[in-house]
Amino acid sequence: SNKNKETRDREYPLCVNKQGGEYCILCKIEPWILIEQGKSPILFIDHINNNNSDNRLDNYQLLCRSCNTKKNHPSLAEPFTRSATPEMISGKRFEGDFRRWVSGQYMENENIGLNYSYLINSGAEFVGCSPETIKRYLAKMTSQAGIYEWFNSSAGEVMVLKQEYKN
């Protein structure tokens, strides 16, 4: 809500006490976790019924920025739900199909790795999506959290399994 600093400073501790701690009531995240994630640790005093003139303590709750945005986003018919678009549904299917295809291709070629352009073009053809989409999937698969990495070989840049995932 749009409270001045004096009102917020007075009501914030009351909200913390009311809900039994300083955390987002919806996702349960605490300010120290937000700081570790590089996000703002400020929790918002939210009006549960979205009536900003109803300033009863039992109409207050603390929300992180993310939950506050989701709850109060005017284009969502029902808070905290997001309808999957046809593109999102296709994207999930394409990515799963591509990852399975890559796994099979890698098992057949694990000694030499998988060539970048081969993965992009053949992968796009196999799953039926654009090469640009495949590039995004490959970026995820070879990210710090992914199980593959790029290696420069005599055959060019190839994707190989990270050492920690090899038998």
mmCIF file of all heavy atoms in Angstrom, residues 71-106:
data_model
loop_
_atom_site.group_PDB
_atom_site.id
_atom_site.type_symbol
_atom_site.label_atom_id
_atom_site.label_comp_id
_atom_site.label_asym_id
_atom_site.label_seq_id
_atom_site.Cartn_x
_atom_site.Cartn_y
_atom_site.Cartn_z
ATOM 1 N N LYS A 71 -0.273 -10.691 -6.854
ATOM 2 C CA LYS A 71 -1.599 -10.542 -6.236
ATOM 3 C C LYS A 71 -2.349 -9.337 -6.789
ATOM 4 O O LYS A 71 -3.552 -9.403 -7.020
ATOM 5 C CB LYS A 71 -1.480 -10.393 -4.721
ATOM 6 C CG LYS A 71 -2.835 -10.146 -4.039
ATOM 7 C CD LYS A 71 -2.657 -9.933 -2.553
ATOM 8 C CE LYS A 71 -3.998 -9.679 -1.905
ATOM 9 N NZ LYS A 71 -4.432 -8.296 -1.989
ATOM 10 N N ASN A 72 -1.632 -8.269 -7.015
ATOM 11 C CA ASN A 72 -2.297 -7.025 -7.391
ATOM 12 C C ASN A 72 -2.217 -6.705 -8.879
ATOM 13 O O ASN A 72 -2.550 -5.610 -9.286
ATOM 14 C CB ASN A 72 -1.713 -5.871 -6.571
ATOM 15 C CG ASN A 72 -1.994 -6.069 -5.099
ATOM 16 O OD1 ASN A 72 -3.144 -6.203 -4.694
ATOM 17 N ND2 ASN A 72 -0.957 -6.140 -4.291
ATOM 18 N N HIS A 73 -1.778 -7.671 -9.689
ATOM 19 C CA HIS A 73 -1.669 -7.437 -11.129
ATOM 20 C C HIS A 73 -3.077 -7.377 -11.726
ATOM 21 O O HIS A 73 -3.832 -8.329 -11.628
ATOM 22 C CB HIS A 73 -0.860 -8.552 -11.785
ATOM 23 C CG HIS A 73 -0.423 -8.213 -13.168
ATOM 24 N ND1 HIS A 73 -1.271 -8.227 -14.230
ATOM 25 C CD2 HIS A 73 0.781 -7.828 -13.642
ATOM 26 C CE1 HIS A 73 -0.610 -7.878 -15.314
ATOM 27 N NE2 HIS A 73 0.635 -7.634 -14.991
ATOM 28 N N PRO A 74 -3.437 -6.282 -12.359
ATOM 29 C CA PRO A 74 -4.814 -6.117 -12.832
ATOM 30 C C PRO A 74 -5.220 -7.056 -13.968
ATOM 31 O O PRO A 74 -6.393 -7.315 -14.160
ATOM 32 C CB PRO A 74 -4.860 -4.666 -13.306
ATOM 33 C CG PRO A 74 -3.442 -4.299 -13.568
ATOM 34 C CD PRO A 74 -2.612 -5.132 -12.641
ATOM 35 N N SER A 75 -4.254 -7.610 -14.706
ATOM 36 C CA SER A 75 -4.650 -8.430 -15.847
ATOM 37 C C SER A 75 -4.919 -9.885 -15.472
ATOM 38 O O SER A 75 -5.383 -10.662 -16.287
ATOM 39 C CB SER A 75 -3.578 -8.385 -16.940
ATOM 40 O OG SER A 75 -2.416 -9.047 -16.500
ATOM 41 N N LEU A 76 -4.608 -10.262 -14.229
ATOM 42 C CA LEU A 76 -4.879 -11.633 -13.817
ATOM 43 C C LEU A 76 -6.302 -11.732 -13.290
ATOM 44 O O LEU A 76 -6.673 -11.062 -12.344
ATOM 45 C CB LEU A 76 -3.906 -12.081 -12.724
ATOM 46 C CG LEU A 76 -2.453 -12.238 -13.139
ATOM 47 C CD1 LEU A 76 -1.601 -12.564 -11.924
ATOM 48 C CD2 LEU A 76 -2.308 -13.315 -14.176
ATOM 49 N N ALA A 77 -7.092 -12.574 -13.906
ATOM 50 C CA ALA A 77 -8.472 -12.754 -13.468
ATOM 51 C C ALA A 77 -8.499 -13.361 -12.075
ATOM 52 O O ALA A 77 -9.312 -12.997 -11.242
ATOM 53 C CB ALA A 77 -9.222 -13.647 -14.442
ATOM 54 N N GLU A 78 -7.603 -14.299 -11.833
ATOM 55 C CA GLU A 78 -7.545 -14.962 -10.534
ATOM 56 C C GLU A 78 -6.098 -14.890 -10.060
ATOM 57 O O GLU A 78 -5.205 -15.378 -10.737
ATOM 58 C CB GLU A 78 -7.978 -16.419 -10.707
ATOM 59 C CG GLU A 78 -8.296 -17.108 -9.414
ATOM 60 C CD GLU A 78 -8.833 -18.500 -9.682
ATOM 61 O OE1 GLU A 78 -9.845 -18.625 -10.374
ATOM 62 O OE2 GLU A 78 -8.207 -19.455 -9.209
ATOM 63 N N PRO A 79 -5.824 -14.284 -8.903
ATOM 64 C CA PRO A 79 -4.441 -14.157 -8.450
ATOM 65 C C PRO A 79 -3.741 -15.506 -8.355
ATOM 66 O O PRO A 79 -4.354 -16.513 -8.037
ATOM 67 C CB PRO A 79 -4.580 -13.537 -7.067
ATOM 68 C CG PRO A 79 -5.912 -12.867 -7.074
ATOM 69 C CD PRO A 79 -6.768 -13.692 -7.991
ATOM 70 N N PHE A 80 -2.446 -15.499 -8.649
ATOM 71 C CA PHE A 80 -1.558 -16.653 -8.534
ATOM 72 C C PHE A 80 -1.849 -17.762 -9.538
ATOM 73 O O PHE A 80 -1.448 -18.889 -9.349
ATOM 74 C CB PHE A 80 -1.534 -17.201 -7.105
ATOM 75 C CG PHE A 80 -1.112 -16.149 -6.143
ATOM 76 C CD1 PHE A 80 -2.043 -15.515 -5.342
ATOM 77 C CD2 PHE A 80 0.207 -15.732 -6.081
ATOM 78 C CE1 PHE A 80 -1.662 -14.514 -4.477
ATOM 79 C CE2 PHE A 80 0.592 -14.739 -5.219
ATOM 80 C CZ PHE A 80 -0.342 -14.128 -4.417
ATOM 81 N N THR A 81 -2.582 -17.455 -10.591
ATOM 82 C CA THR A 81 -2.740 -18.445 -11.656
ATOM 83 C C THR A 81 -2.255 -17.799 -12.940
ATOM 84 O O THR A 81 -2.427 -16.613 -13.148
ATOM 85 C CB THR A 81 -4.205 -18.892 -11.849
ATOM 86 O OG1 THR A 81 -5.004 -17.769 -12.203
ATOM 87 C CG2 THR A 81 -4.756 -19.538 -10.588
ATOM 88 N N ARG A 82 -1.644 -18.586 -13.760
ATOM 89 C CA ARG A 82 -1.202 -18.096 -15.052
ATOM 90 C C ARG A 82 -1.593 -19.145 -16.064
ATOM 91 O O ARG A 82 -1.166 -20.290 -15.976
ATOM 92 C CB ARG A 82 0.301 -17.891 -15.062
ATOM 93 C CG ARG A 82 0.808 -17.359 -16.375
ATOM 94 C CD ARG A 82 2.274 -17.059 -16.313
ATOM 95 N NE ARG A 82 2.702 -16.577 -17.613
ATOM 96 C CZ ARG A 82 3.944 -16.395 -17.957
ATOM 97 N NH1 ARG A 82 4.900 -16.636 -17.101
ATOM 98 N NH2 ARG A 82 4.251 -15.972 -19.160
ATOM 99 N N SER A 83 -2.412 -18.751 -16.996
ATOM 100 C CA SER A 83 -2.833 -19.691 -18.026
ATOM 101 C C SER A 83 -1.695 -19.901 -19.005
ATOM 102 O O SER A 83 -1.082 -18.956 -19.476
ATOM 103 C CB SER A 83 -4.052 -19.139 -18.780
ATOM 104 O OG SER A 83 -5.108 -18.932 -17.889
ATOM 105 N N ALA A 84 -1.430 -21.148 -19.288
ATOM 106 C CA ALA A 84 -0.383 -21.465 -20.251
ATOM 107 C C ALA A 84 -0.881 -21.161 -21.654
ATOM 108 O O ALA A 84 -1.966 -21.582 -22.043
ATOM 109 C CB ALA A 84 0.005 -22.935 -20.129
ATOM 110 N N THR A 85 -0.083 -20.413 -22.382
ATOM 111 C CA THR A 85 -0.423 -20.111 -23.767
ATOM 112 C C THR A 85 -0.076 -21.325 -24.625
ATOM 113 O O THR A 85 0.730 -22.174 -24.208
ATOM 114 C CB THR A 85 0.374 -18.891 -24.277
ATOM 115 O OG1 THR A 85 1.764 -19.246 -24.285
ATOM 116 C CG2 THR A 85 0.131 -17.665 -23.408
ATOM 117 N N PRO A 86 -0.629 -21.415 -25.830
ATOM 118 C CA PRO A 86 -0.249 -22.523 -26.714
ATOM 119 C C PRO A 86 1.264 -22.569 -26.964
ATOM 120 O O PRO A 86 1.844 -23.640 -27.055
ATOM 121 C CB PRO A 86 -1.005 -22.220 -28.013
ATOM 122 C CG PRO A 86 -2.181 -21.400 -27.584
ATOM 123 C CD PRO A 86 -1.695 -20.600 -26.402
ATOM 124 N N GLU A 87 1.892 -21.393 -27.016
ATOM 125 C CA GLU A 87 3.341 -21.338 -27.231
ATOM 126 C C GLU A 87 4.089 -21.932 -26.049
ATOM 127 O O GLU A 87 5.095 -22.626 -26.214
ATOM 128 C CB GLU A 87 3.800 -19.886 -27.461
ATOM 129 C CG GLU A 87 3.302 -19.260 -28.736
ATOM 130 C CD GLU A 87 1.876 -18.725 -28.647
ATOM 131 O OE1 GLU A 87 1.316 -18.636 -27.525
ATOM 132 O OE2 GLU A 87 1.316 -18.407 -29.705
ATOM 133 N N MET A 88 3.607 -21.638 -24.824
ATOM 134 C CA MET A 88 4.252 -22.176 -23.628
ATOM 135 C C MET A 88 4.122 -23.697 -23.586
ATOM 136 O O MET A 88 5.082 -24.406 -23.252
ATOM 137 C CB MET A 88 3.643 -21.566 -22.363
ATOM 138 C CG MET A 88 3.963 -20.103 -22.181
ATOM 139 S SD MET A 88 2.943 -19.292 -20.932
ATOM 140 C CE MET A 88 3.446 -20.107 -19.431
ATOM 141 N N ILE A 89 2.966 -24.212 -23.946
ATOM 142 C CA ILE A 89 2.739 -25.659 -23.959
ATOM 143 C C ILE A 89 3.652 -26.315 -24.992
ATOM 144 O O ILE A 89 4.315 -27.314 -24.710
ATOM 145 C CB ILE A 89 1.255 -25.979 -24.220
ATOM 146 C CG1 ILE A 89 0.410 -25.487 -23.045
ATOM 147 C CG2 ILE A 89 1.050 -27.469 -24.459
ATOM 148 C CD1 ILE A 89 -1.079 -25.452 -23.305
ATOM 149 N N SER A 90 3.712 -25.743 -26.196
ATOM 150 C CA SER A 90 4.596 -26.269 -27.241
ATOM 151 C C SER A 90 6.046 -26.206 -26.801
ATOM 152 O O SER A 90 6.809 -27.151 -27.012
ATOM 153 C CB SER A 90 4.441 -25.477 -28.538
ATOM 154 O OG SER A 90 3.162 -25.638 -29.072
ATOM 155 N N GLY A 91 6.428 -25.082 -26.179
ATOM 156 C CA GLY A 91 7.805 -24.904 -25.725
ATOM 157 C C GLY A 91 8.233 -25.982 -24.750
ATOM 158 O O GLY A 91 9.331 -26.527 -24.847
ATOM 159 N N LYS A 92 7.371 -26.314 -23.807
ATOM 160 C CA LYS A 92 7.694 -27.370 -22.843
ATOM 161 C C LYS A 92 7.858 -28.703 -23.547
ATOM 162 O O LYS A 92 8.768 -29.471 -23.246
ATOM 163 C CB LYS A 92 6.619 -27.458 -21.767
ATOM 164 C CG LYS A 92 6.690 -26.350 -20.754
ATOM 165 C CD LYS A 92 6.158 -26.824 -19.436
ATOM 166 C CE LYS A 92 6.221 -25.748 -18.393
ATOM 167 N NZ LYS A 92 7.548 -25.484 -17.907
ATOM 168 N N ARG A 93 6.968 -28.990 -24.490
ATOM 169 C CA ARG A 93 7.057 -30.254 -25.227
ATOM 170 C C ARG A 93 8.315 -30.277 -26.075
ATOM 171 O O ARG A 93 9.062 -31.255 -26.089
ATOM 172 C CB ARG A 93 5.817 -30.451 -26.104
ATOM 173 C CG ARG A 93 5.829 -31.791 -26.857
ATOM 174 C CD ARG A 93 4.580 -32.006 -27.690
ATOM 175 N NE ARG A 93 4.252 -30.910 -28.569
ATOM 176 C CZ ARG A 93 4.839 -30.702 -29.763
ATOM 177 N NH1 ARG A 93 5.780 -31.504 -30.186
ATOM 178 N NH2 ARG A 93 4.463 -29.685 -30.509
ATOM 179 N N PHE A 94 8.590 -29.166 -26.799
ATOM 180 C CA PHE A 94 9.785 -29.093 -27.638
ATOM 181 C C PHE A 94 11.052 -29.301 -26.810
ATOM 182 O O PHE A 94 11.946 -30.042 -27.206
ATOM 183 C CB PHE A 94 9.888 -27.742 -28.356
ATOM 184 C CG PHE A 94 8.888 -27.510 -29.442
ATOM 185 C CD1 PHE A 94 8.499 -26.220 -29.769
ATOM 186 C CD2 PHE A 94 8.334 -28.559 -30.154
ATOM 187 C CE1 PHE A 94 7.588 -25.985 -30.781
ATOM 188 C CE2 PHE A 94 7.416 -28.331 -31.177
ATOM 189 C CZ PHE A 94 7.040 -27.044 -31.482
ATOM 190 N N GLU A 95 11.118 -28.625 -25.664
ATOM 191 C CA GLU A 95 12.337 -28.726 -24.858
ATOM 192 C C GLU A 95 12.538 -30.152 -24.351
ATOM 193 O O GLU A 95 13.644 -30.682 -24.401
ATOM 194 C CB GLU A 95 12.322 -27.742 -23.691
ATOM 195 C CG GLU A 95 13.632 -27.734 -22.934
ATOM 196 C CD GLU A 95 13.758 -26.614 -21.936
ATOM 197 O OE1 GLU A 95 12.798 -25.846 -21.741
ATOM 198 O OE2 GLU A 95 14.850 -26.499 -21.336
ATOM 199 N N GLY A 96 11.487 -30.779 -23.880
ATOM 200 C CA GLY A 96 11.601 -32.163 -23.420
ATOM 201 C C GLY A 96 12.013 -33.092 -24.546
ATOM 202 O O GLY A 96 12.895 -33.937 -24.377
ATOM 203 N N ASP A 97 11.387 -32.938 -25.716
ATOM 204 C CA ASP A 97 11.733 -33.759 -26.882
ATOM 205 C C ASP A 97 13.194 -33.527 -27.282
ATOM 206 O O ASP A 97 13.917 -34.468 -27.599
ATOM 207 C CB ASP A 97 10.819 -33.439 -28.071
ATOM 208 C CG ASP A 97 9.392 -33.923 -27.877
ATOM 209 O OD1 ASP A 97 9.130 -34.692 -26.922
ATOM 210 O OD2 ASP A 97 8.528 -33.524 -28.685
ATOM 211 N N PHE A 98 13.617 -32.255 -27.277
ATOM 212 C CA PHE A 98 14.983 -31.939 -27.663
ATOM 213 C C PHE A 98 15.985 -32.545 -26.680
ATOM 214 O O PHE A 98 16.985 -33.149 -27.091
ATOM 215 C CB PHE A 98 15.180 -30.420 -27.765
ATOM 216 C CG PHE A 98 16.591 -30.031 -28.115
ATOM 217 C CD1 PHE A 98 17.099 -30.274 -29.384
ATOM 218 C CD2 PHE A 98 17.418 -29.440 -27.177
ATOM 219 C CE1 PHE A 98 18.403 -29.925 -29.714
ATOM 220 C CE2 PHE A 98 18.711 -29.088 -27.497
ATOM 221 C CZ PHE A 98 19.214 -29.336 -28.765
ATOM 222 N N ARG A 99 15.726 -32.408 -25.392
ATOM 223 C CA ARG A 99 16.647 -32.957 -24.387
ATOM 224 C C ARG A 99 16.764 -34.481 -24.523
ATOM 225 O O ARG A 99 17.855 -35.037 -24.409
ATOM 226 C CB ARG A 99 16.206 -32.576 -22.985
ATOM 227 C CG ARG A 99 16.500 -31.125 -22.646
ATOM 228 C CD ARG A 99 15.945 -30.745 -21.270
ATOM 229 N NE ARG A 99 16.260 -29.385 -20.931
ATOM 230 C CZ ARG A 99 17.336 -29.004 -20.233
ATOM 231 N NH1 ARG A 99 18.187 -29.891 -19.799
ATOM 232 N NH2 ARG A 99 17.549 -27.723 -19.974
ATOM 233 N N ARG A 100 15.638 -35.155 -24.780
ATOM 234 C CA ARG A 100 15.693 -36.613 -24.974
ATOM 235 C C ARG A 100 16.487 -36.958 -26.242
ATOM 236 O O ARG A 100 17.280 -37.896 -26.248
ATOM 237 C CB ARG A 100 14.279 -37.193 -25.026
ATOM 238 C CG ARG A 100 13.626 -37.297 -23.652
ATOM 239 C CD ARG A 100 12.279 -38.011 -23.701
ATOM 240 N NE ARG A 100 11.247 -37.222 -24.364
ATOM 241 C CZ ARG A 100 10.582 -36.221 -23.792
ATOM 242 N NH1 ARG A 100 10.836 -35.891 -22.539
ATOM 243 N NH2 ARG A 100 9.660 -35.556 -24.453
ATOM 244 N N TRP A 101 16.273 -36.188 -27.304
ATOM 245 C CA TRP A 101 16.994 -36.407 -28.555
ATOM 246 C C TRP A 101 18.495 -36.215 -28.334
ATOM 247 O O TRP A 101 19.309 -37.036 -28.774
ATOM 248 C CB TRP A 101 16.461 -35.459 -29.636
ATOM 249 C CG TRP A 101 17.170 -35.570 -30.941
ATOM 250 C CD1 TRP A 101 16.995 -36.524 -31.901
ATOM 251 C CD2 TRP A 101 18.191 -34.692 -31.435
ATOM 252 N NE1 TRP A 101 17.832 -36.297 -32.958
ATOM 253 C CE2 TRP A 101 18.583 -35.176 -32.698
ATOM 254 C CE3 TRP A 101 18.796 -33.546 -30.928
ATOM 255 C CZ2 TRP A 101 19.559 -34.546 -33.470
ATOM 256 C CZ3 TRP A 101 19.775 -32.926 -31.687
ATOM 257 C CH2 TRP A 101 20.143 -33.419 -32.939
ATOM 258 N N VAL A 102 18.872 -35.131 -27.638
ATOM 259 C CA VAL A 102 20.287 -34.864 -27.366
ATOM 260 C C VAL A 102 20.899 -36.014 -26.568
ATOM 261 O O VAL A 102 22.003 -36.482 -26.873
ATOM 262 C CB VAL A 102 20.487 -33.524 -26.618
ATOM 263 C CG1 VAL A 102 21.888 -33.407 -26.034
ATOM 264 C CG2 VAL A 102 20.197 -32.351 -27.538
ATOM 265 N N SER A 103 20.198 -36.493 -25.576
ATOM 266 C CA SER A 103 20.707 -37.591 -24.757
ATOM 267 C C SER A 103 20.996 -38.822 -25.618
ATOM 268 O O SER A 103 22.057 -39.454 -25.494
ATOM 269 C CB SER A 103 19.699 -37.922 -23.661
ATOM 270 O OG SER A 103 20.160 -38.977 -22.867
ATOM 271 N N GLY A 104 20.063 -39.163 -26.504
ATOM 272 C CA GLY A 104 20.269 -40.301 -27.408
ATOM 273 C C GLY A 104 21.432 -40.065 -28.350
ATOM 274 O O GLY A 104 22.258 -40.966 -28.574
ATOM 275 N N GLN A 105 21.521 -38.854 -28.910
ATOM 276 C CA GLN A 105 22.619 -38.527 -29.823
ATOM 277 C C GLN A 105 23.958 -38.591 -29.093
ATOM 278 O O GLN A 105 24.950 -39.072 -29.625
ATOM 279 C CB GLN A 105 22.417 -37.129 -30.424
ATOM 280 C CG GLN A 105 21.221 -37.003 -31.334
ATOM 281 C CD GLN A 105 21.358 -37.881 -32.556
ATOM 282 O OE1 GLN A 105 22.322 -37.789 -33.289
ATOM 283 N NE2 GLN A 105 20.390 -38.756 -32.750
ATOM 284 N N TYR A 106 23.966 -38.106 -27.870
ATOM 285 C CA TYR A 106 25.213 -38.097 -27.100
ATOM 286 C C TYR A 106 25.677 -39.517 -26.802
ATOM 287 O O TYR A 106 26.858 -39.831 -26.898
ATOM 288 C CB TYR A 106 25.067 -37.292 -25.802
ATOM 289 C CG TYR A 106 26.387 -37.165 -25.094
ATOM 290 C CD1 TYR A 106 27.322 -36.222 -25.511
ATOM 291 C CD2 TYR A 106 26.728 -38.017 -24.052
ATOM 292 C CE1 TYR A 106 28.558 -36.127 -24.906
ATOM 293 C CE2 TYR A 106 27.971 -37.933 -23.446
ATOM 294 C CZ TYR A 106 28.876 -36.990 -23.871
ATOM 295 O OH TYR A 106 30.110 -36.893 -23.285
#
